[in-house]
Amino acid sequence: MIRLATFLAAGDLRPRLGAVEGDALRDLSATHGPDWDIGRALLLPVAELAAMIAAATQTRPLSACHVLPPIPRPGKIFCVGKNSKVHRAELVAQGMLKEDPQEPTGFVKLAETLVGQGARVVRPEGITTFDYEPELAFVVTKRAFHVSRENARAHVGGITVLNDLTAREIQKQEVISGTKFWVSKNMPGFCPVGPYVVPLAEVADPYDLWLTCDVNGERRLRVNTNEYIHRIEGILAHFTRFMPFEVGDIIATGAPRGTAIGHPNAAELYLKPGDVCVAGLEGLMQLTTHVVAPGEA
């Protein structure tokens, strides 16, 4: 399984491209040059990419590298909303949702909220309903505009994990006011992504994967991606009727059931300073986030 990473080694000012192999990271930039990044690598047929990785002779301990978000500067971080029937019901029950859309809906997380593996994310002062939302996300590798369902997958080259961190009490206020999630999902650090990208050609079926979330070692959810209502084909066909996706954009495809807000003891489950939240795609990658108090980042 190919897992691509963007990383910094000691003394680096420019990100490198690597391939993760167990506890080691094969430095592709050292062999193939500094102009390679994940977006470019994902354009290669998987056999050529595997050969490129095999030709890279320099390896580094993964623990000695600083793993960055896989796409450090995406133009857009686009999130599909209300894409789980059960999660919709959870939101309706808490006054977080008034409509029942029959087509894909979406919102944007700002690029400045992006953080990577091991990030220390502040639970903002006064926020007590800080929730986790592990999501399957796709990386755009070919400009997508007026895309058909049949051709959609030619425009996305890999998958990763996005944890759509959310301040629920602010989200509820925004729903009441008619504002769609600008503040509740766009506080600093509210968009952990990564730590790796797996080429789409390496995945037998992105809609037969297990999304997971553990907090302090306790399993909070494990949901199969086959529960998504709208899949990447329909998502791209719908939104690119009028709006293009550009190379390097990230498309997160929705929260699963089972986030804190869906439980009767939600107050006990919301993230608190000191918590370690691990969102993952089972067997592929785990994305760790440390929740800290203001002043501790």
Side-chain angles (χ1 to χ4, degrees), residues 61-82:
L62 184 58
S63 60
C65 300
H66 177 50
V67 177
L68 300 170
I71 309 295
R73 291 180 294 276
K76 287 191 293 295
I77 304 171
F78 189 84
C79 299
V80 178
K82 315 172 188 72

Side-chain angles (χ1 to χ4, degrees), residues 98-180:
K98 296 181 178 180
E99 66 275 11
D100 183 19
Q102 300 305 302
E103 59 185 21
T105 65
F107 58 92
V108 171
K109 288 185 86 89
L110 302 176
E112 53 262 41
T113 67
L114 182 68
V115 293
Q117 173 73 337
R120 293 167 64 84
V121 176
V122 171
R123 188 186 76 168
E125 190 72 41
I127 297 299
T128 59
T129 55
F130 188 24
D131 210 350
Y132 42 85
E133 291 191 1
E135 303 188 13
L136 170 67
F138 291 82
V139 176
V140 177
T141 48
K142 179 182 176 183
R143 190 175 193 263
F145 194 39
H146 301 156
V147 170
S148 68
R149 295 177 67 97
E150 294 73 23
N151 195 36
R153 289 203 187 185
H155 296 265
V156 290
I159 61 170
T160 189
V161 173
L162 184 148
N163 193 353
D164 180 17
L165 298 175
T166 306
R168 294 295 189 194
E169 65 256 56
I170 305 300
Q171 183 183 24
K172 187 169 186 176
Q173 293 172 11
E174 291 180 312
V175 169
I176 292 170
S177 69
T179 303
K180 289 299 181 186

Side-chain angles (χ1 to χ4, degrees), residues 87 90-91 94 96 109 121-124 127-135 162-171 184-187 189-192 213-215 220-221 255-263 265-272 275 277 279 289 291:
H87 186 56
E90 293 169 345
L91 294 176
Q94 298 298 324
M96 299 288 191
K109 288 185 86 89
V121 176
V122 171
R123 188 186 76 168
I127 297 299
T128 59
T129 55
F130 188 24
D131 210 350
Y132 42 85
E133 291 191 1
E135 303 188 13
L162 184 148
N163 193 353
D164 180 17
L165 298 175
T166 306
R168 294 295 189 194
E169 65 256 56
I170 305 300
Q171 183 183 24
S184 60
K185 291 177 177 286
N186 278 299
M187 300 180 195
F190 271 32
C191 191
C213 189
D214 297 345
V215 178
R220 293 289 180 86
L221 63 83
R257 58 183 167 89
T259 61
I261 195 173
H263 295 274
N265 62 332
E268 302 170 18
L269 302 179
Y270 287 127
L271 297 171
K272 302 170 181 64
D275 285 349
C277 180
T289 303
V291 181

